[in-house]
Amino acid sequence: MTDTEQAESAPHERNFGWWDMFVHPDDDPRSDSGYTGEHDTLVGYLRDQRLTLELKCAGLDAEAMARRSVPPSDLSLLGLVRHLAEMEHTWFRRVMAGQDVPRPYRTQDEPNADFTGAVPDPGTVAAAWAAWRGEIAFAERLVAEAPSLEVTGTVDDETITLREVLVHMIEEYARHNGHADFLRERIDGRVGQ
């Protein structure tokens, strides 16, 4: 069976092969190891989780990005991009930097707007990626400029360290990248790695 034939049959037939992976291991931009020290380890693993989200969404049009998982869920890859932009914004901009700025998607009236507003529109997809990348750029600057992982922020009147926020964000991405595995496989048969 050719790679094309396997790809066309993928949603119905599960056969291992590089054709259904996101990237060949030799071309994988993620490092997943080899870090020295706690700071570099946390930053490196978070970077790899962010790259994983991008890989899972690569090459999809707006309709595929916004495709919902299964009723009644409103989960979609686009919703995950928007949600993770919201999480980057919340934890780094609001909690760690103490900025009192509006959230990108959620409001009091629409607490799930990151998912419910994930519609199959190219402009919505482009805006979501721009928001996500902008929040990551802010977070990376904040972490790079922090004198230590002991720098604190405040959430719900409780103190939290940068270390805890980085660990939380790794966990947040890891959980949602698992969701993204299933979403992407349902769209075109490509499986996670």
Side-chain angles (χ1 to χ4, degrees):
M1 182 179 279
T2 68
D3 285 351
T4 303
E5 290 169 330
Q6 282 184 314
E8 290 172 0
S9 68
H12 307 289
E13 222 178 275
R14 292 189 57 120
N15 296 312
F16 176 79
W18 294 119
W19 63 267
D20 63 352
M21 299 300 246
F22 292 98
V23 62
H24 191 280
D26 295 339
D27 300 321
D28 196 330
R30 299 167 299 178
S31 50
D32 278 335
S33 66
Y35 306 114
T36 303
E38 182 183 23
H39 180 276
D40 289 350
T41 300
L42 293 174
V43 168
Y45 272 91
L46 181 52
R47 177 190 165 272
D48 286 343
Q49 289 295 325
R50 289 167 173 158
L51 286 169
T52 298
L53 179 67
E54 284 190 288
L55 288 172
K56 299 203 184 283
C57 297
L60 296 177
D61 63 14
E63 187 280 324
M65 285 290 293
R67 191 175 302 162
R68 304 286 198 242
S69 57
V70 292
S73 176
D74 58 6
L75 193 63
S76 68
L77 289 170
L78 178 57
L80 289 176
V81 172
R82 290 164 53 102
H83 174 71
L84 289 164
E86 186 86 35
M87 293 300 95
E88 297 273 0
H89 175 91
T90 297
W91 287 103
F92 292 105
R93 194 177 294 273
R94 294 174 63 94
V95 171
M96 292 308 300
Q99 294 182 359
D100 185 17
V101 292
R103 297 173 78 160
Y105 303 107
R106 294 178 179 185
T107 65
Q108 250 184 327
D109 295 336
E110 282 290 330
N112 296 317
D114 40 359
F115 289 104
T116 59
V119 296
D121 169 67
T124 301
V125 173
W129 283 118
W132 182 74
R133 288 186 177 102
E135 294 303 332
I136 288 172
F138 179 88
E140 288 176 337
R141 279 190 310 276
L142 184 139
V143 172
E145 294 170 3
S148 79
L149 295 174
E150 296 300 317
V151 169
T152 61
T154 305
V155 60
D156 298 327
D157 297 322
E158 297 287 327
T159 299
I160 188 167
T161 65
L162 179 57
R163 173 185 293 105
E164 292 172 287
V165 169
L166 289 169
V167 170
H168 172 73
M169 289 302 294
I170 292 166
E171 180 272 334
E172 185 83 23
Y173 273 93
R175 179 177 62 249
H176 290 311
N177 282 336
H179 297 140
D181 277 340
F182 291 122
L183 288 163
R184 182 63 187 251
E185 186 175 7
R186 188 164 191 264
I187 291 167
D188 64 5
R190 294 183 84 182
V191 297
Q193 70 190 85

